[in-house]
Amino acid sequence: MTTTPSSDTDADRALKARHRAMWALGDYPAVAADLIPELGAALVDAVRVVDGDDVLDVAAGSGNAAIPAALAGGRVVASDLCPDLLDAGQARAAERGAVLDWQVGDAEALPFPDGRFDVVLSCVGVMFAPRHRCCADEMVRVTRPGGRIGLVNWTPEGFIGEMFAAMKPYAPAPPPGAQPPPLWGRPDHVRTLFGDRITDVRERRGAVRIGSFGTAEAFRDYFKANYGPTIAAYRNVAGDPEKVAALDHDLAALARRYDLGGGAMDWEYLMLTAARADARAR
């Protein structure tokens, strides 16, 4: 089995531990199920998962894309750095009658052989790993030549991209070399990461209509209680009441600006699909 080694320094191990802990905060499985349940299924349709495909969902979380891929007939491995999310996904899969393999794995050093999968995808997951090029390298490596790669990522200009920009002054400092997650929502950035290793690239912007929040404050309080990165930002400034109040204000103001009426919002994403190029043809 060939893998791309991840850095094994104390700093890297500490970084991975912080990421696992952050995504275990709150209740991300509820966030995914409550707000974006259709997003993973849309990606599965776009990469045309069919019966018998070997499928890998990278940074799968609780299975937003992995479970629909299994229900479409794929032989699915759901991989994520956070075991708590995989446990929640396994329970959700059982409720829906989906059978798949759940494995702890780092998107920057996937524990799978070269060319193992027909389809490799990630739905608002891989974008949160700090080293984008490592992740792209790994996704290409484990895809067979001619296999399909599919991504859904929040755009920098959309609501979630703006939310991360709003939280940045209050959040812990990113590790050296880390790139902002919403860059994965820029087509030029993704094309640069993959280069000529992919072909038949198709991209489109879409939006998820969110209608769960009656007020901007209700949105803020939901994310404050359930979404790991938001919880981490609040914990980082917990000792400074003025900063806590400022973060409260900024998140509510952002939601108010996107309010379409009654608390409904559109959250923009980029969907990109491609095929892994055959190295012999390049």
Side-chain angles (χ1 to χ4, degrees):
M1 178 170 69
T2 304
T3 61
T4 299
S6 176
S7 173
D8 195 30
T9 64
D10 288 344
D12 189 72
R13 286 191 292 271
L15 170 62
K16 303 301 181 182
R18 288 197 301 273
H19 271 244
R20 279 192 294 270
M22 180 183 70
W23 288 106
L25 295 172
D27 192 349
Y28 181 75
V31 173
D34 292 348
L35 303 181
I36 56 170
E38 71 274 26
L39 205 52
L43 179 59
V44 169
D45 287 344
V47 294
R48 305 182 309 281
V49 173
V50 297
D51 190 46
D53 276 340
D54 287 313
V55 181
L56 174 65
D57 186 0
V58 180
S62 51
N64 186 275
I67 293 172
L71 293 173
R75 296 188 292 260
V76 180
V77 177
S79 174
D80 197 276
L81 190 65
C82 181
D84 291 4
L85 299 185
L86 296 178
D87 289 345
Q90 194 165 7
R92 291 179 185 274
E95 292 171 0
R96 298 182 61 183
V99 178
L100 55 159
D101 184 14
W102 302 85
Q103 293 193 32
V104 174
D106 183 354
E108 297 179 356
L110 294 168
F112 307 108
D114 296 356
R116 162 73 171 78
F117 298 97
D118 301 304
V119 180
V120 175
L121 50 81
S122 184
C123 183
V124 296
V126 73
M127 65 183 293
F128 293 105
R131 302 178 186 99
H132 297 187
R133 178 58 63 84
C134 287
C135 296
D137 291 348
E138 284 294 87
M139 293 185 78
V140 170
R141 182 183 65 77
V142 300
T143 306
R144 66 166 176 80
R148 287 99 71 200
I149 294 172
L151 298 163
V152 166
N153 294 305
W154 303 118
T155 66
E157 306 84 3
F159 179 83
I160 297 296
E162 289 209 46
M163 185 183 76
F164 272 89
M167 293 193 303
K168 184 177 179 179
Y170 310 98
Q179 293 177 281
L183 283 179
W184 279 92
R186 287 184 175 167
D188 59 341
H189 180 71
V190 180
R191 285 174 177 267
T192 298
L193 291 175
F194 286 97
D196 65 357
R197 299 175 298 176
I198 59 173
T199 187
D200 300 329
V201 179
R202 298 182 181 184
E203 57 198 44
R204 70 172 179 87
R205 290 177 185 264
V208 178
R209 175 62 57 86
I210 306 296
S212 303
F213 305 108
T215 66
E217 289 75 20
F219 154 78
R220 177 199 63 207
D221 293 344
Y222 180 90
F223 265 63
K224 193 173 179 178
N226 292 291
Y227 191 59
T230 306
I231 297 170
Y234 273 99
R235 289 189 175 184
N236 189 55
V237 297
D240 188 332
E242 290 187 2
K243 287 186 177 180
V244 171
L247 180 53
D248 276 345
H249 170 271
D250 291 352
L251 290 179
L254 176 65
R256 207 169 288 114
R257 182 155 57 83
Y258 273 80
D259 189 358
L260 300 172
M265 294 181 277
D266 283 343
W267 294 359
E268 186 184 64
Y269 62 83
L270 172 71
M271 180 181 289
L272 186 146
T273 62
R276 178 183 167 180
D278 187 338
R280 294 171 297 180
R282 299 208 306 270

